[in-house]
């Protein structure tokens, strides 16, 4: 059997990350294949891997998405990575941290595709023109009542130009929205640098000032939404704890904290 290889563009990632000088992406483990980079990070975290350690793979055989879904991506085309964040904080910080991971991805896509309207659909899907370009799966490792480490997994469609029929209407990639051929190593370095910039403030103080940046790229704001539980209303921003604000038809401002949200 021919061994699976890592493409030269991804092999350049450690240099691109080092050039940015941040704390995330070091060490960077570049894998040809793995069941799931989140699982790689989780196992390594249990063995003492440091803050910032990151796993990126050309292919996942059991990639996981939110809400128990799977994440499927053709080998060698996209970014599939997980970063270990050693953040000691209460569980209430997890939604803000997840939002900031989404924001880091959004900003990197916006830089690579300056003409595109890149938005975040709460809680942390990244959309371009209403189509999903990236998803984030944040998993926490807890000790007693505190979070001790967070694994932030990102699936970002970079080079894929044609999607399976079932998702073709709802999915896009950087290659489809940027003028130039995207560089996976540069995108990865950019996401990690963005996250490094914002992470500490969110862990220490919550969303705070980042709320304004999130609201400026909020895909749901002003739109009518429905939860899986059947509640409905108009999306009206995000609160300091990372919950979605929804103005219900009876005028009450509700704070939605979990689950899937659909545009109606
Ligand atoms: C979603 O939108 O449902 C989240 C998708 C997250 C997928 C990424 S790919 C890298 C990391 N490893 C996984 O198994 N999942 C995340």
């Amino acid at each position: 059997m021919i061994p699976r290889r890592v493409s030269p563009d991804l092999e350049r990632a450690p240099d691109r990350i080092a050039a940015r000088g941040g704390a995330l992406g070091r060490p960077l483990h570049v894998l040809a294949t793995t069941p799931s980079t989140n699982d790689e990070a989780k196992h390594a975290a249990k063995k003492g891997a440091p803050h910032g350690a990151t796993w990126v793979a050309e292919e996942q055989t059991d990639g996981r998405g939110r809400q128990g879904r799977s994440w499927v991506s053709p080998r060698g085309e996209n970014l599939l990575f997980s970063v270990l964040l050693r953040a000691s904080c209460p569980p209430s910080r997890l939604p803000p941290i997840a939002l900031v991971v989404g924001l880091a991805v959004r900003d990197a896509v916006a830089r690579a595709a300056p003409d595109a309207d890149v938005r975040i659909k709460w809680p942390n899907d990244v959309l371009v023109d209403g189509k999903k370009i990236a998803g984030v799966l944040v998993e926490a490792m807890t000790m007693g009542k505190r979070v001790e480490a967070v694994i932030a997994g990102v699936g970002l469609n970079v080079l894929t130009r044609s999607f399976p029929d079932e998702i073709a209407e709802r999915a896009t990639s950087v290659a489809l929205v940027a003028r130039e051929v995207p560089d996976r190593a540069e995108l990865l370095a950019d996401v990690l640098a963005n996250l490094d910039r914002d992470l500490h403030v969110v862990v220490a103080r919550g969303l705070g000032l980042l709320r304004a940046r999130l609201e400026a790229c909020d895909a749901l704001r002003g739109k009518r939404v429905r939860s899986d539980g059947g509640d409905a209303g108009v999306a009206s921003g995000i609160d300091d704890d990372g919950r979605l604000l929804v103005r219900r038809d009876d005028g009450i401002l509700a704070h939605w904290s979990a689950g899937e949200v659909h545009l109606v």
Side-chain angles (χ1 to χ4, degrees), residues 121-195:
K121 175 176 173 271
W122 185 91
N124 44 27
D125 283 351
V126 183
L127 310 184
V128 176
D129 297 331
K131 294 182 173 187
K132 184 157 168 171
I133 199 165
V136 174
L137 176 67
V138 165
E139 297 182 298
M141 301 181 67
T142 52
M143 184 104 79
K145 287 198 174 141
R146 280 188 81 74
V147 170
E148 289 304 328
V150 173
I151 289 148
V154 175
L156 169 59
N157 298 332
V158 183
L159 297 171
T160 296
R161 289 185 161 270
S162 116
F163 292 90
D165 286 349
E166 322 80 86
I167 57 165
E169 292 287 302
R170 292 179 280 122
T172 191
S173 69
V174 184
L176 290 173
V177 299
R179 265 181 272 160
E180 290 171 15
V181 178
D183 177 331
R184 288 192 297 165
E186 195 58 41
L187 272 164
L188 175 59
D190 214 25
V191 173
L192 294 173
N194 293 342
L195 181 58

Side-chain angles (χ1 to χ4, degrees), residues 27 29 36-55 64 82-87 139-143 147-152:
H29 304 276
S36 156
T37 56
N38 265 40
D39 291 345
E40 293 280 352
K42 212 180 287 177
H43 294 140
K46 287 182 186 149
K47 291 185 186 157
H51 174 73
T54 299
W55 290 259
R64 292 184 283 110
S82 302
V83 51
L84 171 62
L85 307 169
R86 293 237 175 243
E139 297 182 298
M141 301 181 67
T142 52
M143 184 104 79
V147 170
E148 289 304 328
V150 173
I151 289 148

Side-chain angles (χ1 to χ4, degrees), residues 3-241:
R4 297 249 191 263
R5 297 272 303 275
V6 171
S7 311
D9 66 333
L10 213 50
E11 278 174 352
R12 288 194 287 272
D15 289 346
R16 297 292 169 91
I17 290 167
R20 306 296 285 266
L24 307 184
R26 301 188 213 217
L28 181 73
H29 304 276
V30 186
L31 309 170
T33 186
T34 178
S36 156
T37 56
N38 265 40
D39 291 345
E40 293 280 352
K42 212 180 287 177
H43 294 140
K46 287 182 186 149
K47 291 185 186 157
H51 174 73
T54 299
W55 290 259
V56 61
E58 290 285 20
E59 172 190 59
Q60 293 184 134
T61 54
D62 193 18
R64 292 184 283 110
R66 292 177 53 247
Q67 313 272 332
R69 289 186 290 255
S70 56
W71 184 265
V72 179
S73 172
R75 174 158 57 91
E77 295 187 7
N78 299 316
L79 276 174
L80 308 164
F81 66 96
S82 302
V83 51
L84 171 62
L85 307 169
R86 293 237 175 243
S88 178
C89 59
S92 60
R93 284 285 190 267
L94 285 172
I97 291 172
L99 281 163
V100 160
V101 176
L103 191 60
V105 178
R106 190 225 85 97
D107 288 353
V109 172
R111 184 164 176 244
D115 304 326
D117 182 20
V118 195
R119 297 190 167 264
I120 292 185
K121 175 176 173 271
W122 185 91
N124 44 27
D125 283 351
V126 183
L127 310 184
V128 176
D129 297 331
K131 294 182 173 187
K132 184 157 168 171
I133 199 165
V136 174
L137 176 67
V138 165
E139 297 182 298
M141 301 181 67
T142 52
M143 184 104 79
K145 287 198 174 141
R146 280 188 81 74
V147 170
E148 289 304 328
V150 173
I151 289 148
V154 175
L156 169 59
N157 298 332
V158 183
L159 297 171
T160 296
R161 289 185 161 270
S162 116
F163 292 90
D165 286 349
E166 322 80 86
I167 57 165
E169 292 287 302
R170 292 179 280 122
T172 191
S173 69
V174 184
L176 290 173
V177 299
R179 265 181 272 160
E180 290 171 15
V181 178
D183 177 331
R184 288 192 297 165
E186 195 58 41
L187 272 164
L188 175 59
D190 214 25
V191 173
L192 294 173
N194 293 342
L195 181 58
D196 200 27
R197 179 192 61 204
D198 292 332
L199 181 72
H200 304 285
V201 63
V202 167
V203 170
R205 283 183 259 144
L207 274 184
L209 292 174
L210 293 168
R211 258 181 84 182
R213 276 173 49 209
L214 274 170
E215 291 194 349
C217 61
D218 180 350
L220 296 178
R221 197 177 177 89
K223 304 227 165 97
R224 191 154 179 86
V225 291
R226 176 178 55 77
S227 73
D228 276 342
D231 294 326
V234 174
S236 307
I238 293 163
D239 74 10
D240 269 343
D241 295 321

